[in-house]
Amino acid sequence: MTTNTHRTDPAPAPGDLERDHKLEVLLDEMVAVPEGEELPADFSARLLERRPFAPWEVSRASHWRLPAGVGLGLLAGSLGLALTPLWSLGPVTAVTVWAELLAVAFGRPAATLVTALPLLLEGTGRAAQAVSPGAVVLLGGAAVVLAASLVAALVRVRRSAASAVPVRG
C-alpha cells in the first residue's frame, strides 16, 4: 500500500499563521461577548486591521458600466454605418453621412418633444378640468412623496456604492 504524500497547497508562511491566530482570538472575543452586550467600539477596525479583505471578497457597485457600454456600442455602430460609404463613395461622404446620422439621432427627439409639448399641455389642461381640486392636491402630494422616496433611495445606493462592502458568504 502506498501513501499519497503529494500536497497541493504550499505551507503557510509564519506571518500568515500569526495573523490567523490573532484573527481567531478576535473572533473568540466576539463569540464570548454575553448576549445583550455590545462589542467594543474598535472591534471591527481591529478585525479589518488583522485580516484585510481580498479583492474577490469586496463588492464594488458599478452602475455606470451598463449605460457606458450601451453608449459606446451605439457610437461604434454609428461609426460603422458612417464608414460603410468609404468603400464606394469616399471619406468626405462618410464623414458627412455620420454627421447627419448624429444630427438626426440627437435632433429628432428634441424636435419630437417640441411638437408634442403643446399636445401634452392641452391634455394636462383637459385632465385638470375633469378632476376635482382636492384630487389634484392629493395626487400632487403623492407625487412629492414618491419623488422624495426615490431621491432617498438613490442617496442610499450612492452611499453604499461609495464604500466597498465585504461580501459575506
Side-chain angles (χ1 to χ4, degrees), residues 64-130:
W64 60 270
R65 288 185 182 174
L66 180 64
V70 169
L72 287 175
L74 289 172
L75 187 63
S78 74
L79 184 60
L81 282 174
L83 293 178
T84 303
L86 268 178
W87 294 302
S88 61
L89 300 176
V92 174
T93 305
V95 171
T96 304
V97 168
W98 190 42
E100 288 179 9
L101 282 173
L102 288 178
V104 167
F106 290 110
R108 184 66 55 105
T112 304
L113 180 64
V114 169
T115 304
L117 198 56
L119 296 174
L120 287 172
L121 292 175
E122 181 184 342
T124 304
R126 286 185 182 179
Q129 291 173 354

Side-chain angles (χ1 to χ4, degrees), residues 48 53-55 57-61 158-167:
L48 289 175
F53 289 97
E57 294 179 310
V58 177
S59 172
R60 290 183 180 90
R158 297 217 15 107
R159 280 186 189 156
S160 66
S163 63
V165 179
V167 175

Side-chain angles (χ1 to χ4, degrees), residues 23-78:
L23 179 65
E24 286 180 21
V25 169
L26 283 172
L27 293 175
D28 288 341
E29 179 184 337
M30 182 178 80
V31 172
V33 171
E35 200 170 319
E37 290 186 26
E38 292 188 20
L39 290 169
D42 66 336
F43 181 80
S44 61
R46 288 189 297 152
L47 184 65
L48 289 175
E49 180 183 303
R50 299 283 191 260
R51 184 195 177 268
F53 289 97
W56 59 85
E57 294 179 310
V58 177
S59 172
R60 290 183 180 90
S62 56
H63 303 291
W64 60 270
R65 288 185 182 174
L66 180 64
V70 169
L72 287 175
L74 289 172
L75 187 63
S78 74

